[in-house]
Structures are given as C-alpha cells and as structure tokens.
Amino acid sequence: GEKELITLLSILKERKIKYFVLGNGSNVLFSDNIYDGIIIKLDNFNKINIQNNIIEVGAGYPLIRLSRDAMRNSLCGLEFASGIPGTVGGAVFMNAGAYGEDMSKIVESVRIINDDLEIITLTNEEMKYSYRTSILQEHLNYVCISCVLRLEKGNRDEIEKIMNDRHITRRETQP
C-alpha cells in the first residue's frame, strides 16, 4: 500500500539508490546496459471506485480495462483509451490520448507522492497538461498513486459501438 511505498522510497532516498517507476512497461525499451537501481511496479495500486460519473482509480489499473469499466457503467469520455496499453498512472504521466481526446480532458485530480515523501493532490490545472506531457515529467521523483476522473453519462450501446469501430479500424490499418 501507500505506507509501504513511502517506506521503500524513504530507504532508497536515504541510501541514494536510483529508482524508476514502471507501469506496464508498454512504452519502454530497456537498454542492454545494466541499470544500477530499483524498478518499482505499482500493480497493487489497482483499486477502483465508480460513483455516478466520478471514477477514483489506482495508478496500476490497466487503462484498457478502465475504458471497458466506464463503458459498462454508461460513462463516456474514455473511449479513446480502449486501445491504449499501459496503466492509469502512465496515462496520467504522459497525458495519453487518441482520436483528438486525452487524459487532460477527464482528469479532475491526481494523488502523488512528492519529493518530500508526502501524499499530495494536484488539480487538473496543477498537472500543467499539454500535448503528451504533464508536470510529472518535470518531476521524475514524483510517483502517481491514483487519480479522480470526471466522465459524462452516456448511452452504453453507443459507447461500445465507438470502441468496437475504433478497434476494427486499428486492426485494419496495422501493417
């Protein structure tokens, strides 16, 4: 959980050990060189809570699964994510998007562990989103642990059709 992660980060910081937080690793290429640090995977940060049109979700939750959960709850705004591999944390970090939509349009707030090992909440505005970037890329020691998304109520069948049509289009355009 969060306390254990803070404890780990504290030990790493104290001992000046490099670390890298990895989501799914779907957007990462590893060098042949040895990495003399720790790789932290946030798989256990996978809780999700859906209340009306608000989703609170952990950074380790798979983005594709989240888009399907939203669809099953008749929530629109995440259709663009139905084909993006990776985790919520990675999507928040890089402002993932497709089809003219991206995370910046649905993120309400993001909970992170900052350099002082405190859990703080950043608003959408404080995330300084722009094309495929966020403030988290300026502060690589920050660790995203969860976020709150605000979606819109929609028609489940229409949302599912959009997601399925895009999935077919992607398959047809692959080399």
Side-chain angles (χ1 to χ4, degrees), residues 104-138:
S104 73
K105 295 179 180 172
I106 58 172
V107 168
E108 187 154 285
S109 63
V110 178
R111 289 178 71 238
I112 63 153
I113 299 172
N114 68 12
D115 288 330
D116 297 323
L117 304 181
E118 301 166 328
I119 296 175
I120 63 169
T121 300
L122 299 175
T123 64
N124 180 295
E125 194 173 271
E126 290 169 325
M127 285 292 293
K128 296 185 179 171
Y129 277 125
S130 61
Y131 184 77
R132 301 298 173 261
T133 62
S134 75
I135 196 169
L136 301 184
Q137 293 174 32
E138 297 170 27

Side-chain angles (χ1 to χ4, degrees), residues 23-34:
N24 254 5
S26 55
N27 208 19
V28 177
L29 291 175
F30 286 101
S31 161
D32 288 339
N33 297 326
I34 293 170

